[in-house]
Each structure stands twice: as structure tokens, then as C-alpha cells.
Amino acid sequence: PLVLAFANLKDALNAQLNSPLLALLPKFKGLLTVSVPSPPALPTPAHRGTGMIGVRLLDQAFANQILDLLEEPLVLSSANPIGMPAAKTIDELGTYQWGGLPLVVDPNASNLPTKEIKVTVITWVNSSLKLLAEGDLSLEHIQSQWDQLRR
């Protein structure tokens, strides 16, 4: 799935994204993706006709520096094909036959997290949070933060 990545919540809100769930993103930078209705200006291929797009605030300084320079969100995709296990090395990533990736960041660089992060993906359905992909954050923890924000 594609994700719009932002450096901060203000930029996400300026992109015409309309979801109260965006308020959760600053609490879970880099750990949470929120699936929201796609902004009208986003081309159909970016949301694959679903009308939904993932939104995430990045928690890596180098990525946020790129975002600051671009003054636009990055549109990211998982480098792992759907249904395949996450590549743990650049060599493993190369076995997925992508025909070359335009940018690969060295996972051993000192400014990157050293542990594998599993991003949790949620959306809003029938006035409640719905888990779309399990990650390092539990739905219960996200729900408790959501309840605090709504008070």
C-alpha cells in the first residue's frame, strides 16, 4: 500500500486530508499509519482506486530533512511485495526482482533505528477504530490515546 509521509501534522492537514485520526500521528511518529480518504488532488494510481491513502509522520531525521527540502509529502511504498516477508538486508531486498530501486538507505547508518519496526495501520469505520495491519502498537494502546485526545 502507498503511504503519504509527512514531517509534521501541520503539513498533513494542509494536504487536504480529512480525518480526526490524524491527531494520533504525533503521539506515534514512525509507528502508526492511518488510512484516510484520499485528497481530491491525488491521482487515482496513488490510491489504486480505493479512495483511501495511508498517512504517516516519519521519525527519522534524514527523512524529515528531505521532506523539509521538498515542501511536499513523500509517496512511499513498502519495498516488500504483498504477502512476502520483510527483507532484513539490502541483499534480501534485491531478491524481490524489483528491477532496481531508485533509493535505498543503508540500514546500518548510525542515524537509523537499529531494531525492526512493525508499523500498525488503522482506519475509522462506523465511528470506531479498526485495525488493518498489526504492528508494534496494540489497538488497545492506540484506543486509550484516542480516548484521551477526545476528552
Side-chain angles (χ1 to χ4, degrees), residues 1 15 38 43 60:
S38 175
Q60 288 104 359

Side-chain angles (χ1 to χ4, degrees), residues 4 7 24 28 32 41 46 63 67 104-105 107-108 111 115 117 121 128 137 145:
L4 290 179
L24 284 166
F28 302 114
L32 180 67
L67 287 166
V104 176
V105 177
N108 297 314
N111 62 343
K115 72 173 203 127
I117 296 171
V121 183
S128 63
L137 296 171
Q145 293 298 309

Side-chain angles (χ1 to χ4, degrees), residues 97-126:
Q97 306 296 321
W98 283 103
L101 295 171
L103 173 67
V104 176
V105 177
D106 181 357
N108 297 314
S110 61
N111 62 343
L112 294 178
T114 55
K115 72 173 203 127
E116 179 182 341
I117 296 171
K118 294 179 184 161
V119 176
T120 303
V121 183
I122 63 167
T123 194
W124 186 252
V125 176
N126 297 326

